[in-house]
Each structure stands twice: as structure tokens, then as C-alpha cells.
Amino acid sequence: MKRTLFFGSIFSLVVTGMVLTGCSTEDDPMGGGDETGGTETPGTGGGDGTGKSSPVDSVTTDSDGTTWRLVFSDEFDQESGTPDASKWVLCEKGSSDWARYLSESYDQAYIEDGSLHLIGERVDGEYKTGGIETRGKFNFEYGKVECRARFATQPSGGHTGIWMMPSPPAEQWPKSGEIDIMEHLNSEKKIYETIHSWYCDDMDKTDPKPQGTAEVDNDEWNTYGVIWTADSITFTVNGEKYLSYPNLHLENAENAAYQWPFDHQFYLILSQSLGGEGTWAGPIDNSELPAIFEVDWIRVYQQE
């Protein structure tokens, strides 16, 4: 897989089916990389770890007085067993590490017991992984995203993600940016929060920090989030703010575009992938499969 303020311009709503106003698999998305942020320990997230949280409110207010209106949500409680087709499509298989084993099948992306299950497994000698995205269904510019999830199993070589990609994508990744709300590797007791841009990845600029970590109880449900405005992108775990990446408003127009390619629409991705030799997640231990990532719900708000 390859960072609050007043929402400068828009609350763009373009409805195409369930669309608020989209997705892609660029050259090296979800690529991870060196860790540059600090580590802190948040509390555990909403809910009791065994069932659904309380019903979602259409309007919420933060402790700082910011009011948010719900514009997209999925509680993953439909009885069909497959994700809502008005909101999600299956992620497509590609050459990137995270996408190379995608099955493009609901066998590895299904709903059961009120949560989305994304699987990484070995079937008839072939690795198969599951992922869904809102590409072509729901895109948005600026907002607050929260997603309650857990790592039901954590095998060696497992790589789990909640992330966002630009719509439309840049001709060359990561010129249009990438926002990785949460990545988890293997059975680590921490998650990664990462910004990708040409400024960070190709110009090797690490000030401000493009990546941070947060310690979590990785056996429990946690709520991962991001608050994205025209001036900063701030990552949260269980409501606590961690890494914040600012828009530097650089005077050099080209550098400014490279440093902050986040003033356009993005779409959501939920994925379970498997690594392998030479990947960030490392070798796969077949005896520990399947990898199972469960998502209780995901919600997107925009400022009133």
C-alpha cells in the first residue's frame, strides 16, 4: 500500500448508484517502506469485541466542536453473504505485491456473522487473497474515515490494509498520492500509518514525517481512522490522534504539487494480501494460513 481544518472547497456529491463522488492499482501501491514515526499505545476501540457497536449516528460532534455528517457507511450485516454491489467492487489482480494473489472472487471476500471477512489462503497449491474497493461507486474529497476491524488470524507473510487511492489515478505512482490509514504485518503488535507522494517516495523528503506507527492489541477490535482536510491529514487509532502530515503550502509550484497531491477525490480499499520472499511482509508460512481480516464497519463523514 503503498495526512484538521475547514474543508476548503467542497462537499462533492455525485451520485452514480450509491456514489458520493473514486480507484486503481498503480505501479507500487501499498509498498510500505522504512518506519519513520514514533510509537504510542492507544486504548481499545469501540464495541465489546464480540458484536456490533451501537447504531451509527448520521451527525456527530467531536470534542473540539467539529460537526460531521455521515455520507457513506457499510455495517456489513447484509444476509446475502456478499458485499453490497452498490458500494463495492472486487479488487483486481495486478503486478504489485499486494495485488498479485487477488482472486477476484467472493470466496475470499464475504460477509459472515455481521462482518466482512477478507481471506488469504492457499487453494490447490495457489495463493488467493481477497480485497474490495469503492472504485467507481464512491469517491470523496476531504472528510473523516473510521473503520472498526480486527486481525482474526495473523500468519507470517500476512499484510492487511485499510487505505485510499486517487481517482482518477496519476500516470505515474505516487504523483496523485496515497493514504494508508492502517497496515498490519504478520503478528506485529503495531500498525503503520503512511502518506505516499512523489515528495516523500521519489524526492526522499522525510520532513514532515510521512510514516508513523501505533501500538495496538492486535487480538482485539480496534477503530482506525483518518481526518483529511485541505491543510493536513491526521491518523487516529481508537479516537486518539497520532501522525499528522501537513500541507506545507510550498512556494515552488512543482514542489508544492509533489508535497501535497491530496486536493482531489480518493476511494477506499480494504484488503488482505500475502507477501513472499523479497516483500515487506516477508515469507509466507503455509502452516499458519489462512490469514483472516474482519471488518465490523466503515464510515465516512464530511464537515457540516
Side-chain angles (χ1 to χ4, degrees), residues 2-206:
K2 251 276 188 261
R3 256 176 185 237
T4 301
L5 268 165
F6 176 67
F7 287 108
S9 50
I10 56 180
F11 166 34
S12 11
L13 268 185
V14 173
V15 179
T16 76
M18 191 71 192
V19 191
L20 187 128
T21 60
C23 185
S24 84
T25 52
E26 270 88 81
D27 292 342
D28 188 25
M30 204 175 171
D34 293 336
E35 173 189 339
T36 57
T39 301
E40 302 178 56
T41 305
T44 54
D48 61 6
T50 60
K52 285 291 178 183
S53 301
S54 58
V56 59
D57 294 323
S58 60
V59 177
T60 64
T61 302
D62 288 348
S63 59
D64 63 2
T66 304
T67 299
W68 302 92
R69 183 163 70 89
L70 185 71
V71 295
F72 174 91
S73 70
D74 200 330
E75 306 302 302
F76 298 114
D77 54 6
Q78 50 266 45
E79 296 180 358
S80 66
T82 57
D84 187 339
S86 71
K87 300 177 181 180
W88 304 96
V89 296
L90 289 165
C91 294
E92 298 176 356
K93 190 172 185 175
S95 59
S96 298
D97 288 347
W98 81 275
R100 62 181 175 173
Y101 297 131
L102 284 168
S103 67
E104 301 179 322
S105 167
Y106 291 112
D107 288 345
Q108 285 75 41
Y110 58 85
I111 292 170
E112 185 174 88
D113 297 329
S115 63
L116 171 70
H117 289 59
L118 298 176
I119 310 299
E121 59 186 345
R122 188 174 174 87
V123 181
D124 297 329
E126 180 181 356
Y127 292 120
K128 293 181 180 291
T129 61
I132 61 174
E133 58 192 13
T134 63
R135 175 164 53 101
K137 303 290 184 177
F138 170 78
N139 314 307
F140 68 107
E141 181 174 355
Y142 311 138
K144 178 169 74 170
V145 181
E146 292 186 320
C147 183
R148 184 170 184 259
R150 71 170 179 174
F151 319 113
T153 65
Q154 304 161 57
S156 299
H159 183 183
T160 302
I162 303 167
W163 48 305
M164 297 163 55
M165 288 292 285
S167 178
E171 292 182 4
Q172 185 176 3
W173 180 89
K175 286 188 174 181
S176 290
E178 176 180 326
I179 302 171
D180 296 339
I181 300 171
M182 184 281 293
E183 290 183 86
H184 180 255
L185 302 179
N186 308 315
S187 58
E188 289 185 346
K189 300 295 185 181
K190 62 183 176 183
I191 57 96
Y192 297 84
E193 307 148 320
T194 310
I195 285 293
H196 288 284
S197 69
W198 194 262
Y199 189 80
C200 301
D201 292 70
D202 292 82
M203 298 174 67
D204 296 323
K205 301 289 188 179
T206 58

Side-chain angles (χ1 to χ4, degrees), residues 195-225:
I195 285 293
H196 288 284
S197 69
W198 194 262
Y199 189 80
C200 301
D201 292 70
D202 292 82
M203 298 174 67
D204 296 323
K205 301 289 188 179
T206 58
D207 186 17
K209 291 179 179 179
Q211 185 179 71
T213 64
E215 291 184 1
V216 296
D217 184 338
N218 60 348
D219 293 318
E220 300 297 329
W221 291 97
N222 293 282
T223 300
Y224 306 99

Side-chain angles (χ1 to χ4, degrees), residues 274-293:
L274 294 173
E277 296 291 343
T279 68
W280 190 30
I284 304 166
D285 187 336
N286 294 334
S287 69
E288 297 178 357
L289 296 177
I292 304 175
F293 179 43

